[in-house]
Amino acid sequence: MRLSELINGDLARRDPRTASLAASGALEREIAGLTADSRDVKPGFLFAALSGSTLDGRKFITDAVQRGAVAVLTEDGTDPGETDIALIADDNPRRRLALMAARFYGRQPETVAAVTGTSGKTSTVEFVRRIWAALGAKSASLGTLGITTDTGSEGPGLTTPDPVALHAALAGLADRGIDHLAMEASSHGLDQFRLDGVKVGIAAFLNLSHEHLDYHRTMADYLTAKAGLFERVLQPDGTAILSADAPQSAELAEIAAERGIRVLTFGRSGGADFRMTGWEPTATGQRFSITHAGRSHAVELSLIGAFQAMNVLAATAVTVASGADLEHVVGVLAGLEGVRGRMERAAQHPNGAPIFVDYAHKAEALETVLKAIRPHVAGALHVVFGCGGDRDRGKRPIMGRTAIELADHVYVTDDNPRTEDPAAIRAEIMATCPSAAEIGDRTRAIETAIRSLGPEDALIIAGKGHETYQIVGTETRDFDDRDAARAIVSALLGDVR
């Protein structure tokens, strides 16, 4: 693709330097690829020299040119130090890179739904994918679990990939005949303009709670990042799906209204377009009704936890907004299975006590999980959890307090300590739950909890969910909560025999 084709229309801004590029003939250069990593540059590439919190891409322009870059996208006022390149300067090079990537790869699934929120994104997009698939659509989900289709998951799990990788993936899905995509939209990805250029027709907001304040600094900034999905990414003729139970939805509804975008709501609140009523737990799941357009539809799920029902309700609203018939959607909900690492029943104690693994690594998510499982537990509720290192420290005492208030037995252990002192992380948690058992070794903590289970008890192993590793220092070690739980149960079965 010629450089002129990549630039044309991007950001709809007039730049006199574009005229100088045309005069020099640089706009006719063929661009073979795009990247923001100079190490990935190949002959004919455009290199995006972006400044970040730890690295400044502008320092690698010379390296990129030596590797064959013929064009450089960077910030206004940058001196490239090179004369034989096409320099595209921009006041928002991150967004322009995303729009260039969209133009370069060109193809996307026809229907794209993006879901944002602190908790529930992964489950919701996967439920959307499964509902679409059950109704006959060729569908995929993209996010923390990678790219998932009806043939399985592939690729690394990233909530929102970098724009070049994202648009390459979208083109690949379209080439495979995938016409429906549900994707996660992280606050980081939105703040860094990674989703710009994606033709999002449906955008959903689930909730907002204390998280990522090491990056966003304030909750207001966090919400502003989320709002970008509705302010600029969602197509003008799209639909906003908002939680009627989240107070932040009022601000997002105003943004949508200013753009003339249709708004639909879901939740327990009386005025919700998709309203949940009559919720009650069952021995193996839950039942409730969805009220929409004056009609009530009974739903029975084989999923544990009211928050799962809310994710299903959000997914229902998304799929109906995409054109699916609500009666048909409700007809497939009973067959939905749990999402990997999300309230996943990983094992069962020989005495019958269930052992669940969940990704809850935030205070509100932990609260939601513990409250959700309580109605299903006749005996004691046990929880094993820790907090990640090099991340938002403010949530550590909150999670400790949440655990000790909502669980009967608490085991504080290591999560992904990264480069922090694991004992120091645990101490910050233990400050608000001094009666908890502190066991740094995660396997031993899980084993201690499992061996303590009574026949009517339940255990939640929280924080890592689907992850198959543990990061200690700079080392990534193989570790899977599910495998650890199953191995311990297997040993217990051997003891029983």
Side-chain angles (χ1 to χ4, degrees), residues 42-68:
K42 294 180 176 59
F45 267 44
L46 178 145
F47 171 58
L50 308 176
S51 60
S53 58
T54 57
L55 291 175
D56 187 343
R58 293 172 296 183
K59 295 181 179 180
F60 301 94
I61 291 176
T62 298
D63 179 56
V65 172
Q66 290 174 347
R67 292 173 183 267

Side-chain angles (χ1 to χ4, degrees), residues 206 242-249 265-270 272 276 310 313:
L206 306 178
L242 306 176
S243 169
D245 305 327
Q248 301 85 359
S249 290
T265 58
F266 69 95
R268 295 178 182 270
S269 298
M276 180 188 295
M310 196 57 66
L313 183 65

Side-chain angles (χ1 to χ4, degrees), residues 92-359:
N92 190 344
R94 289 185 180 277
R95 184 167 190 264
R96 173 162 280 200
L97 174 62
L99 297 177
M100 283 182 167
R103 189 177 295 275
F104 184 83
Y105 287 100
R107 304 169 306 285
Q108 301 180 23
E110 294 177 10
T111 300
V112 179
V115 178
T116 196
T118 304
S119 303
K121 296 186 295 295
T122 301
S123 293
T124 301
V125 300
E126 180 58 10
F127 289 147
V128 169
R129 182 196 72 79
R130 294 179 187 181
I131 294 170
W132 276 335
L135 297 178
K138 293 183 178 179
S139 59
S141 61
L142 187 155
T144 305
L145 300 181
I147 295 175
T148 303
T149 64
D150 58 5
T151 60
S153 297
E154 58 195 61
L158 294 172
T159 311
T160 308
D162 79 79
V164 177
L166 174 59
H167 284 284
L170 296 183
L173 289 171
D175 289 344
R176 290 159 56 183
I178 301 294
D179 52 21
H180 284 65
L181 172 69
M183 63 181 296
E184 298 181 47
S186 71
S187 59
H188 291 68
L190 289 164
D191 186 62
Q192 296 170 14
F193 304 95
R194 296 184 220 157
L195 277 82
D196 288 67
V198 180
K199 296 178 181 178
V200 174
I202 303 166
F205 170 74
L206 306 178
N207 47 57
L208 193 79
S209 61
H210 189 286
E211 176 68 339
H212 301 311
L213 296 190
D214 54 329
Y215 177 88
H216 296 292
R217 303 303 176 190
T218 70
M219 291 298 291
D221 290 342
Y222 188 18
L223 178 59
T224 296
K226 297 285 190 188
L229 178 60
F230 303 90
E231 283 183 315
R232 66 176 195 275
V233 179
L234 179 58
Q235 298 292 292
D237 59 350
T239 301
I241 307 291
L242 306 176
S243 169
D245 305 327
Q248 301 85 359
S249 290
E251 181 175 333
L252 300 180
E254 289 182 7
I255 291 171
E258 289 174 359
R259 298 184 61 204
I261 289 171
R262 179 176 69 146
V263 174
L264 295 175
T265 58
F266 69 95
R268 295 178 182 270
S269 298
D273 295 297
F274 294 83
R275 184 185 176 200
M276 180 188 295
T277 59
W279 180 88
E280 60 178 338
T282 65
T284 58
Q286 54 198 303
R287 63 171 64 97
F288 58 92
S289 293
I290 297 176
T291 300
H292 176 67
R295 295 188 60 191
S296 184
H297 307 264
V299 176
E300 186 148 355
L301 298 177
S302 58
L303 303 170
I304 295 292
F307 72 96
Q308 296 270 50
M310 196 57 66
N311 292 337
V312 169
L313 183 65
T316 297
V318 169
T319 52
V320 171
S322 74
D325 179 78
L326 179 57
E327 290 279 4
H328 293 160
V329 171
V330 170
V332 304
L333 297 183
L336 289 179
E337 297 179 351
V339 177
R340 181 159 51 99
R342 272 64 180 173
M343 196 60 92
E344 179 181 354
R345 188 165 179 147
Q348 181 173 295
H349 192 285
N351 65 18
I355 301 163
F356 296 93
V357 168
D358 192 87
Y359 192 49

